[in-house]
Amino acid sequence: MSDPKEKTEGTPSGYYEAPQSEQVDTAQERAYLPGIFKGIGVASKHFFRNFFLGRDPNVDILARKGGNMMTTVQYPEEKPIYPPGYRGMHRLVPREDGKPRCVACYLCATICPAQCIYIEAGEYPDDPIEKFPVRFEIDELRCVVCGLCVEACPKDAIRMDTGTHCKPVYDRQDIVYGIDRLLKGTAVAHESDVWFKRDSSDPPPDDAVHPIPPLPIAK
Ligand code: SF4
Ligand code: SF4
């Protein structure tokens, strides 16, 4: 970088001098009126073009043709086509018997960077092993649609495959989705599902051989 105090040859002061504008405002420019009328003319031209000329309903704004230059998508009459990779809102995946596949392990709530998943776990009265979510809520307004909850879930119990987005609401609380709104869609079953492997829901006997012996307790 050159030193600003460095002398420049060929200038009266010997230092660099920025070029000065030769333009002098005329009385017409200082009156502002021509500029005001010019601006009104441009705005009117666009207004009447958009008001009277037909509008290409193509939702792809850049591909629109015609005299109307409006670029607003008239949602919900017009809906843009989502890209193929669009995830959509969450759903809790049901089992074939209609219960949620979720076993309330809290992994999704733990990994969620927006801290917008709230779970309360419960136990089935006839099954002492399995848990299920008594409450499972997602604050969709806080959600950043990162999909980490889907990745973290060990039971394929939460998916973002609905292809829908959040509907506008008037009440903040209406955007918190509970099980009643999340549990929907096609039921999913995997061969590895433990509820297919167990013969009964009875607790294991006390003398059952555990694959991993308990660690000694430090005293
Ligand atoms: S998509 Fe991301 S931000 Fe939204 S609930 Fe899942 S983990 Fe949280
Ligand atoms: S990670 Fe899956 S199984 Fe665990 S609480 Fe979340 S949705 Fe339920």
PDB file of all heavy atoms in Angstrom, residues 55 57-61 64 72-83 163-168:
ATOM      1  N   ARG A  55     -51.029 -11.156 -16.804  1.00  0.00           N
ATOM      2  CA  ARG A  55     -49.904 -11.644 -16.008  1.00  0.00           C
ATOM      3  C   ARG A  55     -49.675 -13.116 -16.301  1.00  0.00           C
ATOM      4  O   ARG A  55     -50.605 -13.918 -16.242  1.00  0.00           O
ATOM      5  CB  ARG A  55     -50.208 -11.458 -14.529  1.00  0.00           C
ATOM      6  CG  ARG A  55     -49.107 -11.865 -13.615  1.00  0.00           C
ATOM      7  CD  ARG A  55     -49.405 -11.344 -12.231  1.00  0.00           C
ATOM      8  NE  ARG A  55     -48.411 -11.822 -11.307  1.00  0.00           N
ATOM      9  CZ  ARG A  55     -48.444 -13.027 -10.765  1.00  0.00           C
ATOM     10  NH1 ARG A  55     -49.417 -13.835 -11.035  1.00  0.00           N
ATOM     11  NH2 ARG A  55     -47.496 -13.408  -9.934  1.00  0.00           N
ATOM     12  N   PRO A  57     -49.039 -16.622 -15.413  1.00  0.00           N
ATOM     13  CA  PRO A  57     -49.179 -17.301 -14.108  1.00  0.00           C
ATOM     14  C   PRO A  57     -48.077 -18.308 -13.801  1.00  0.00           C
ATOM     15  O   PRO A  57     -48.168 -19.022 -12.815  1.00  0.00           O
ATOM     16  CB  PRO A  57     -50.530 -18.006 -14.245  1.00  0.00           C
ATOM     17  CG  PRO A  57     -50.669 -18.255 -15.706  1.00  0.00           C
ATOM     18  CD  PRO A  57     -49.940 -17.166 -16.416  1.00  0.00           C
ATOM     19  N   ASN A  58     -47.062 -18.350 -14.655  1.00  0.00           N
ATOM     20  CA  ASN A  58     -45.963 -19.282 -14.395  1.00  0.00           C
ATOM     21  C   ASN A  58     -45.365 -18.998 -13.014  1.00  0.00           C
ATOM     22  O   ASN A  58     -44.999 -17.855 -12.713  1.00  0.00           O
ATOM     23  CB  ASN A  58     -44.886 -19.105 -15.482  1.00  0.00           C
ATOM     24  CG  ASN A  58     -43.864 -20.205 -15.445  1.00  0.00           C
ATOM     25  OD1 ASN A  58     -43.748 -20.913 -14.449  1.00  0.00           O
ATOM     26  ND2 ASN A  58     -43.120 -20.350 -16.521  1.00  0.00           N
ATOM     27  N   VAL A  59     -45.303 -20.007 -12.173  1.00  0.00           N
ATOM     28  CA  VAL A  59     -44.778 -19.767 -10.815  1.00  0.00           C
ATOM     29  C   VAL A  59     -43.269 -19.587 -10.822  1.00  0.00           C
ATOM     30  O   VAL A  59     -42.692 -19.100  -9.852  1.00  0.00           O
ATOM     31  CB  VAL A  59     -45.161 -20.913  -9.856  1.00  0.00           C
ATOM     32  CG1 VAL A  59     -46.634 -20.892  -9.564  1.00  0.00           C
ATOM     33  CG2 VAL A  59     -44.729 -22.256 -10.403  1.00  0.00           C
ATOM     34  N   ASP A  60     -42.647 -19.980 -11.926  1.00  0.00           N
ATOM     35  CA  ASP A  60     -41.215 -19.742 -12.069  1.00  0.00           C
ATOM     36  C   ASP A  60     -41.050 -18.297 -12.545  1.00  0.00           C
ATOM     37  O   ASP A  60     -41.227 -17.986 -13.718  1.00  0.00           O
ATOM     38  CB  ASP A  60     -40.618 -20.730 -13.075  1.00  0.00           C
ATOM     39  CG  ASP A  60     -39.109 -20.599 -13.158  1.00  0.00           C
ATOM     40  OD1 ASP A  60     -38.565 -19.650 -12.556  1.00  0.00           O
ATOM     41  OD2 ASP A  60     -38.478 -21.435 -13.816  1.00  0.00           O
ATOM     42  N   ILE A  61     -40.748 -17.423 -11.609  1.00  0.00           N
ATOM     43  CA  ILE A  61     -40.772 -15.994 -11.892  1.00  0.00           C
ATOM     44  C   ILE A  61     -39.844 -15.630 -13.044  1.00  0.00           C
ATOM     45  O   ILE A  61     -40.188 -14.839 -13.920  1.00  0.00           O
ATOM     46  CB  ILE A  61     -40.379 -15.211 -10.622  1.00  0.00           C
ATOM     47  CG1 ILE A  61     -41.472 -15.396  -9.572  1.00  0.00           C
ATOM     48  CG2 ILE A  61     -40.188 -13.754 -10.915  1.00  0.00           C
ATOM     49  CD1 ILE A  61     -41.074 -14.933  -8.206  1.00  0.00           C
ATOM     50  N   ARG A  64     -41.242 -16.016 -16.597  1.00  0.00           N
ATOM     51  CA  ARG A  64     -42.470 -15.332 -17.003  1.00  0.00           C
ATOM     52  C   ARG A  64     -42.237 -14.437 -18.212  1.00  0.00           C
ATOM     53  O   ARG A  64     -41.186 -13.823 -18.349  1.00  0.00           O
ATOM     54  CB  ARG A  64     -42.989 -14.488 -15.837  1.00  0.00           C
ATOM     55  CG  ARG A  64     -43.680 -15.307 -14.801  1.00  0.00           C
ATOM     56  CD  ARG A  64     -44.259 -14.415 -13.751  1.00  0.00           C
ATOM     57  NE  ARG A  64     -44.751 -15.205 -12.647  1.00  0.00           N
ATOM     58  CZ  ARG A  64     -44.972 -14.728 -11.448  1.00  0.00           C
ATOM     59  NH1 ARG A  64     -44.733 -13.468 -11.185  1.00  0.00           N
ATOM     60  NH2 ARG A  64     -45.416 -15.499 -10.497  1.00  0.00           N
ATOM     61  N   THR A  72     -44.348 -11.053  -7.694  1.00  0.00           N
ATOM     62  CA  THR A  72     -44.864 -11.700  -6.485  1.00  0.00           C
ATOM     63  C   THR A  72     -45.611 -12.973  -6.850  1.00  0.00           C
ATOM     64  O   THR A  72     -46.396 -12.982  -7.796  1.00  0.00           O
ATOM     65  CB  THR A  72     -45.832 -10.750  -5.763  1.00  0.00           C
ATOM     66  OG1 THR A  72     -45.202  -9.490  -5.628  1.00  0.00           O
ATOM     67  CG2 THR A  72     -46.211 -11.289  -4.410  1.00  0.00           C
ATOM     68  N   VAL A  73     -45.358 -14.040  -6.110  1.00  0.00           N
ATOM     69  CA  VAL A  73     -46.137 -15.270  -6.270  1.00  0.00           C
ATOM     70  C   VAL A  73     -47.407 -15.105  -5.446  1.00  0.00           C
ATOM     71  O   VAL A  73     -47.346 -14.841  -4.243  1.00  0.00           O
ATOM     72  CB  VAL A  73     -45.334 -16.499  -5.787  1.00  0.00           C
ATOM     73  CG1 VAL A  73     -46.192 -17.749  -5.826  1.00  0.00           C
ATOM     74  CG2 VAL A  73     -44.095 -16.684  -6.636  1.00  0.00           C
ATOM     75  N   GLN A  74     -48.538 -15.243  -6.088  1.00  0.00           N
ATOM     76  CA  GLN A  74     -49.818 -14.986  -5.422  1.00  0.00           C
ATOM     77  C   GLN A  74     -50.235 -16.210  -4.600  1.00  0.00           C
ATOM     78  O   GLN A  74     -51.210 -16.887  -4.925  1.00  0.00           O
ATOM     79  CB  GLN A  74     -50.893 -14.651  -6.460  1.00  0.00           C
ATOM     80  CG  GLN A  74     -50.571 -13.439  -7.311  1.00  0.00           C
ATOM     81  CD  GLN A  74     -50.511 -12.155  -6.504  1.00  0.00           C
ATOM     82  OE1 GLN A  74     -51.288 -11.949  -5.584  1.00  0.00           O
ATOM     83  NE2 GLN A  74     -49.568 -11.296  -6.834  1.00  0.00           N
ATOM     84  N   TYR A  75     -49.483 -16.478  -3.541  1.00  0.00           N
ATOM     85  CA  TYR A  75     -49.802 -17.612  -2.680  1.00  0.00           C
ATOM     86  C   TYR A  75     -51.086 -17.302  -1.903  1.00  0.00           C
ATOM     87  O   TYR A  75     -51.272 -16.158  -1.486  1.00  0.00           O
ATOM     88  CB  TYR A  75     -48.641 -17.849  -1.713  1.00  0.00           C
ATOM     89  CG  TYR A  75     -48.803 -19.067  -0.870  1.00  0.00           C
ATOM     90  CD1 TYR A  75     -48.380 -20.295  -1.329  1.00  0.00           C
ATOM     91  CD2 TYR A  75     -49.428 -18.983   0.367  1.00  0.00           C
ATOM     92  CE1 TYR A  75     -48.556 -21.427  -0.557  1.00  0.00           C
ATOM     93  CE2 TYR A  75     -49.605 -20.111   1.143  1.00  0.00           C
ATOM     94  CZ  TYR A  75     -49.157 -21.327   0.670  1.00  0.00           C
ATOM     95  OH  TYR A  75     -49.337 -22.448   1.421  1.00  0.00           O
ATOM     96  N   PRO A  76     -52.027 -18.214  -1.692  1.00  0.00           N
ATOM     97  CA  PRO A  76     -51.963 -19.636  -2.003  1.00  0.00           C
ATOM     98  C   PRO A  76     -52.537 -20.024  -3.366  1.00  0.00           C
ATOM     99  O   PRO A  76     -52.568 -21.189  -3.690  1.00  0.00           O
ATOM    100  CB  PRO A  76     -52.802 -20.252  -0.886  1.00  0.00           C
ATOM    101  CG  PRO A  76     -53.846 -19.229  -0.612  1.00  0.00           C
ATOM    102  CD  PRO A  76     -53.192 -17.899  -0.847  1.00  0.00           C
ATOM    103  N   GLU A  77     -53.031 -19.024  -4.162  1.00  0.00           N
ATOM    104  CA  GLU A  77     -53.555 -19.389  -5.488  1.00  0.00           C
ATOM    105  C   GLU A  77     -52.434 -19.979  -6.344  1.00  0.00           C
ATOM    106  O   GLU A  77     -52.650 -20.910  -7.118  1.00  0.00           O
ATOM    107  CB  GLU A  77     -54.156 -18.161  -6.187  1.00  0.00           C
ATOM    108  CG  GLU A  77     -55.479 -17.690  -5.615  1.00  0.00           C
ATOM    109  CD  GLU A  77     -55.300 -16.870  -4.363  1.00  0.00           C
ATOM    110  OE1 GLU A  77     -54.185 -16.364  -4.133  1.00  0.00           O
ATOM    111  OE2 GLU A  77     -56.263 -16.746  -3.574  1.00  0.00           O
ATOM    112  N   GLU A  78     -51.253 -19.402  -6.247  1.00  0.00           N
ATOM    113  CA  GLU A  78     -50.101 -19.939  -6.968  1.00  0.00           C
ATOM    114  C   GLU A  78     -49.152 -20.552  -5.949  1.00  0.00           C
ATOM    115  O   GLU A  78     -48.915 -19.958  -4.898  1.00  0.00           O
ATOM    116  CB  GLU A  78     -49.369 -18.820  -7.711  1.00  0.00           C
ATOM    117  CG  GLU A  78     -50.175 -18.155  -8.788  1.00  0.00           C
ATOM    118  CD  GLU A  78     -49.470 -16.936  -9.345  1.00  0.00           C
ATOM    119  OE1 GLU A  78     -48.369 -16.602  -8.856  1.00  0.00           O
ATOM    120  OE2 GLU A  78     -50.015 -16.315 -10.250  1.00  0.00           O
ATOM    121  N   LYS A  79     -48.646 -21.709  -6.279  1.00  0.00           N
ATOM    122  CA  LYS A  79     -47.699 -22.346  -5.359  1.00  0.00           C
ATOM    123  C   LYS A  79     -46.439 -22.721  -6.121  1.00  0.00           C
ATOM    124  O   LYS A  79     -46.517 -23.407  -7.145  1.00  0.00           O
ATOM    125  CB  LYS A  79     -48.313 -23.587  -4.739  1.00  0.00           C
ATOM    126  CG  LYS A  79     -49.380 -23.240  -3.721  1.00  0.00           C
ATOM    127  CD  LYS A  79     -49.931 -24.449  -3.052  1.00  0.00           C
ATOM    128  CE  LYS A  79     -51.017 -24.016  -2.075  1.00  0.00           C
ATOM    129  NZ  LYS A  79     -51.889 -25.073  -1.674  1.00  0.00           N
ATOM    130  N   PRO A  80     -45.310 -22.260  -5.656  1.00  0.00           N
ATOM    131  CA  PRO A  80     -44.073 -22.642  -6.336  1.00  0.00           C
ATOM    132  C   PRO A  80     -43.822 -24.141  -6.214  1.00  0.00           C
ATOM    133  O   PRO A  80     -44.251 -24.776  -5.244  1.00  0.00           O
ATOM    134  CB  PRO A  80     -42.988 -21.839  -5.611  1.00  0.00           C
ATOM    135  CG  PRO A  80     -43.620 -21.278  -4.413  1.00  0.00           C
ATOM    136  CD  PRO A  80     -45.088 -21.411  -4.510  1.00  0.00           C
ATOM    137  N   ILE A  81     -43.161 -24.682  -7.192  1.00  0.00           N
ATOM    138  CA  ILE A  81     -42.840 -26.103  -7.155  1.00  0.00           C
ATOM    139  C   ILE A  81     -41.585 -26.278  -6.305  1.00  0.00           C
ATOM    140  O   ILE A  81     -40.572 -25.628  -6.535  1.00  0.00           O
ATOM    141  CB  ILE A  81     -42.598 -26.630  -8.579  1.00  0.00           C
ATOM    142  CG1 ILE A  81     -43.856 -26.421  -9.408  1.00  0.00           C
ATOM    143  CG2 ILE A  81     -42.180 -28.089  -8.567  1.00  0.00           C
ATOM    144  CD1 ILE A  81     -43.627 -26.428 -10.893  1.00  0.00           C
ATOM    145  N   TYR A  82     -41.704 -27.131  -5.301  1.00  0.00           N
ATOM    146  CA  TYR A  82     -40.566 -27.331  -4.422  1.00  0.00           C
ATOM    147  C   TYR A  82     -39.490 -28.162  -5.112  1.00  0.00           C
ATOM    148  O   TYR A  82     -39.815 -29.039  -5.921  1.00  0.00           O
ATOM    149  CB  TYR A  82     -40.996 -28.041  -3.149  1.00  0.00           C
ATOM    150  CG  TYR A  82     -41.899 -27.217  -2.281  1.00  0.00           C
ATOM    151  CD1 TYR A  82     -43.103 -27.716  -1.825  1.00  0.00           C
ATOM    152  CD2 TYR A  82     -41.545 -25.926  -1.925  1.00  0.00           C
ATOM    153  CE1 TYR A  82     -43.939 -26.954  -1.034  1.00  0.00           C
ATOM    154  CE2 TYR A  82     -42.374 -25.156  -1.138  1.00  0.00           C
ATOM    155  CZ  TYR A  82     -43.569 -25.682  -0.696  1.00  0.00           C
ATOM    156  OH  TYR A  82     -44.388 -24.916   0.082  1.00  0.00           O
ATOM    157  N   PRO A  83     -38.240 -27.913  -4.804  1.00  0.00           N
ATOM    158  CA  PRO A  83     -37.170 -28.730  -5.395  1.00  0.00           C
ATOM    159  C   PRO A  83     -37.269 -30.171  -4.905  1.00  0.00           C
ATOM    160  O   PRO A  83     -37.839 -30.435  -3.839  1.00  0.00           O
ATOM    161  CB  PRO A  83     -35.886 -28.050  -4.891  1.00  0.00           C
ATOM    162  CG  PRO A  83     -36.300 -27.239  -3.721  1.00  0.00           C
ATOM    163  CD  PRO A  83     -37.731 -26.860  -3.923  1.00  0.00           C
ATOM    164  N   GLY A 163     -43.604 -33.252   2.472  1.00  0.00           N
ATOM    165  CA  GLY A 163     -43.604 -32.334   1.332  1.00  0.00           C
ATOM    166  C   GLY A 163     -44.427 -31.079   1.581  1.00  0.00           C
ATOM    167  O   GLY A 163     -44.593 -30.263   0.685  1.00  0.00           O
ATOM    168  N   THR A 164     -44.923 -30.909   2.796  1.00  0.00           N
ATOM    169  CA  THR A 164     -45.721 -29.715   3.100  1.00  0.00           C
ATOM    170  C   THR A 164     -44.883 -28.764   3.951  1.00  0.00           C
ATOM    171  O   THR A 164     -43.892 -29.170   4.547  1.00  0.00           O
ATOM    172  CB  THR A 164     -46.981 -30.089   3.899  1.00  0.00           C
ATOM    173  OG1 THR A 164     -46.578 -30.792   5.076  1.00  0.00           O
ATOM    174  CG2 THR A 164     -47.904 -30.969   3.089  1.00  0.00           C
ATOM    175  N   HIS A 165     -45.298 -27.542   3.999  1.00  0.00           N
ATOM    176  CA  HIS A 165     -44.612 -26.605   4.883  1.00  0.00           C
ATOM    177  C   HIS A 165     -45.603 -26.055   5.902  1.00  0.00           C
ATOM    178  O   HIS A 165     -46.798 -26.295   5.818  1.00  0.00           O
ATOM    179  CB  HIS A 165     -43.941 -25.487   4.093  1.00  0.00           C
ATOM    180  CG  HIS A 165     -44.892 -24.611   3.362  1.00  0.00           C
ATOM    181  ND1 HIS A 165     -44.977 -24.572   1.998  1.00  0.00           N
ATOM    182  CD2 HIS A 165     -45.827 -23.755   3.811  1.00  0.00           C
ATOM    183  CE1 HIS A 165     -45.914 -23.730   1.642  1.00  0.00           C
ATOM    184  NE2 HIS A 165     -46.444 -23.215   2.719  1.00  0.00           N
ATOM    185  N   CYS A 166     -45.057 -25.322   6.834  1.00  0.00           N
ATOM    186  CA  CYS A 166     -45.854 -24.819   7.942  1.00  0.00           C
ATOM    187  C   CYS A 166     -46.938 -23.863   7.464  1.00  0.00           C
ATOM    188  O   CYS A 166     -46.667 -22.967   6.667  1.00  0.00           O
ATOM    189  CB  CYS A 166     -44.904 -24.060   8.857  1.00  0.00           C
ATOM    190  SG  CYS A 166     -44.995 -24.556  10.517  1.00  0.00           S
ATOM    191  N   LYS A 167     -48.130 -24.067   7.972  1.00  0.00           N
ATOM    192  CA  LYS A 167     -49.210 -23.164   7.598  1.00  0.00           C
ATOM    193  C   LYS A 167     -49.158 -21.921   8.480  1.00  0.00           C
ATOM    194  O   LYS A 167     -48.780 -22.006   9.639  1.00  0.00           O
ATOM    195  CB  LYS A 167     -50.545 -23.864   7.782  1.00  0.00           C
ATOM    196  CG  LYS A 167     -50.758 -24.954   6.765  1.00  0.00           C
ATOM    197  CD  LYS A 167     -52.106 -25.580   6.910  1.00  0.00           C
ATOM    198  CE  LYS A 167     -52.246 -26.662   5.861  1.00  0.00           C
ATOM    199  NZ  LYS A 167     -53.166 -27.709   6.234  1.00  0.00           N
ATOM    200  N   PRO A 168     -49.563 -20.786   7.921  1.00  0.00           N
ATOM    201  CA  PRO A 168     -49.578 -19.584   8.765  1.00  0.00           C
ATOM    202  C   PRO A 168     -50.647 -19.696   9.845  1.00  0.00           C
ATOM    203  O   PRO A 168     -51.699 -20.303   9.626  1.00  0.00           O
ATOM    204  CB  PRO A 168     -49.916 -18.453   7.775  1.00  0.00           C
ATOM    205  CG  PRO A 168     -50.493 -19.129   6.589  1.00  0.00           C
ATOM    206  CD  PRO A 168     -49.975 -20.519   6.547  1.00  0.00           C
TER     207      PRO A 168
END
